[in-house]
Each structure stands twice: as C-alpha cells, then as structure tokens.
C-alpha cells in the first residue's frame, strides 16, 4: 500500500450528481467526517472517494509514483553511502511528482470546500490555505500500522491513497481508505485530528 501526503463530529455523506460539488467523473462521492473541531473550531475532515474515478491510476502515472517507490531502497543506500549526486538523475521525476500531486491536492481541497459551504466556519477554514510545506511518499508494507497521532504541522494535509485498502482512523471514526481515495484535514495541533492506520 502506498500513500502520498503533499483535521463533537457530524457525519454527512453527499452523493454526487451533475449538479453536485464535483463533476460526476471526478469522484464517486464525498463524505464529511467532521465539520467542527475542539472549541467549535471550523475543522472539516473530508473524504473524497475514488478521486478521478480510476482508483488512483492517473495520479500514480502522472507523478511517476511507481518509479519513485521502486527506487526508494537504492536511493536510501546511495544517501547512506554519501553518494547524493546519484539522485540528480531523478530530479525531473521528483519535480513532476510534486507539481502533479499539488495540482491534485488543490482540486481535492476545492471539492472539500464546496461540500462544506453550508457551514460558515468549516468553509472559511478550508478557504484559508497556505503554500504546501512538503510533498512526501510514505510506503507501508502489508500488515504494518501507523499509530494514531496528531501531526502538529500547522496547515492542511491532503492524503492520497494508492494500493491496498486499509482501515484508517481520522477524527473520531474508522473507515475503509481505498486506492484512489483522498482525505483532507488540518494538521495543526489546535485542530487535534487524531489519525492513523488501524
């Protein structure tokens, strides 16, 4: 399973139609897992199911994700051997990866903002965006877990899932996080979005 990263709960499921928050070909549905956080803070957690309706194939192809995952062990060895210039040959792949992931993340954030527009605080929170701090590929082997934690990173987090389906926890509930799904939450400590792979 591969994941890419580039927070009193209300659960609302919204199915998409031609007049919905996203074009019918953009995703299967959007679920609002939470609108408000601690102290009534606008802190939506939004799950976009099957973004691009291709189980992640397009984003994985555009980003060169497979190549990045496959080169990860040898890249780590090169770094450990202080041969950092070997990574220069992958510069174009990394640049394409970052721009494509950020483009997809922007669209996912737009979908999330539209679906929570009836809640003023949640909509305003998603409207406030900063530059991306990082874009990373995290690879988890089958059978491993990601202990529940709060990021404390101070900005929106967009997780794009590729590969195996996992039981994922975010906010106050667990759900099936499938290949092609995208999850939005605020990673700062005040939003207190506990999340992880169960």
């Amino acid at each position: 399973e591969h994941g890419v990263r580039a927070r009193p709960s209300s659960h609302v499921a919204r199915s998409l139609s031609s007049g919905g928050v996203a074009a019918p070909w953009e995703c299967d549905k959007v679920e609002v897992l939470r609108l408000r956080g601690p102290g009534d803070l606008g802190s939506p957690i939004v799950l976009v199911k099957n973004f691009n309706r291709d189980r992640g194939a397009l984003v994985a192809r555009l980003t060169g994700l497979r190549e990045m995952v496959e080169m990860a062990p040898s890249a780590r060895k090169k770094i450990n051997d202080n041969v950092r210039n070997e990574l220069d040959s992958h510069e174009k792949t990394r640049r394409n990866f970052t721009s494509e992931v950020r483009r997809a993340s922007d669209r996912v954030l737009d979908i999330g903002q539209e679906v929570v527009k009836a809640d003023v605080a949640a909509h305003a929170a998603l409207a406030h965006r900063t530059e991306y701090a990082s874009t990373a590929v995290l690879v988890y082997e089958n059978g491993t877990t990601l202990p529940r934690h709060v990021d404390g990173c101070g900005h929106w987090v967009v997780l794009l899932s590729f590969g195996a389906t996992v039981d994922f926890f975010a906010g106050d509930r667990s759900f099936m996080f499938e290949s092609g799904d995208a999850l939005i939450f605020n990673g700062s400590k005040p939003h207190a979005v506990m999340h992880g792979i169960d």
Side-chain angles (χ1 to χ4, degrees):
E1 157 226 338
H2 311 136
V4 179
R5 235 168 208 228
R7 296 184 180 242
S9 218
S10 170
H11 173 258
V12 182
R14 311 228 177 165
S15 293
L16 298 177
S17 64
S18 56
V21 298
W25 59 84
E26 286 191 287
C27 58
D28 290 345
K29 68 178 179 177
V30 182
E31 296 181 45
V32 179
L33 307 180
R34 177 176 95 179
L35 286 171
R36 304 287 182 99
D40 211 28
L41 181 66
S43 182
I45 302 172
V46 179
L47 176 63
V48 178
K49 295 296 291 178
N50 197 15
F51 179 62
N52 284 333
R53 299 192 78 184
D54 63 357
R55 288 291 163 215
L58 178 62
V59 174
R61 182 174 57 78
L62 291 174
T63 59
L65 180 65
R66 179 185 301 272
E67 293 81 0
M68 292 186 71
V69 170
E70 287 173 352
M71 77 117 177
S74 61
R76 281 195 296 268
K77 182 180 183 312
K78 299 287 186 190
I79 290 171
N80 291 340
D81 293 342
N82 293 318
V83 189
R84 296 178 186 274
N85 60 346
E86 291 293 326
L87 294 177
D88 291 344
S89 63
H90 300 286
E91 184 177 349
K92 183 177 178 183
T93 300
R94 291 199 312 272
R95 185 168 54 247
N96 187 52
F97 164 77
T98 298
S99 62
E100 293 299 336
V101 167
R102 290 180 180 187
R103 185 186 347 248
S105 297
D106 284 343
R107 183 60 194 135
V108 168
L109 287 166
D110 291 342
I111 292 170
Q113 185 178 348
E114 180 65 21
V115 80
V116 301
K117 68 181 179 184
D119 186 286
V120 175
H123 186 265
L126 265 171
H128 179 72
R129 301 182 196 174
T130 58
E131 288 296 316
Y132 292 102
S134 66
T135 306
V137 178
L138 306 175
V139 180
Y140 300 96
E141 301 296 330
N142 285 334
T144 60
T145 63
L146 173 64
R148 294 180 185 182
H149 64 284
V150 175
D151 284 343
C153 62
H155 50 76
W156 290 104
V157 173
V158 179
L159 298 180
L160 300 169
S161 180
F162 300 93
T165 298
V166 296
D167 292 320
F168 200 87
F169 179 88
D172 65 353
R173 63 173 288 209
S174 292
F175 55 90
M176 300 300 285
F177 202 25
E178 301 173 281
S179 187
D181 290 354
L183 181 69
I184 304 166
F185 60 90
N186 193 305
S188 66
K189 285 187 179 179
H191 291 263
V193 179
M194 187 70 65
H195 61 283
I197 298 174
D198 289 338

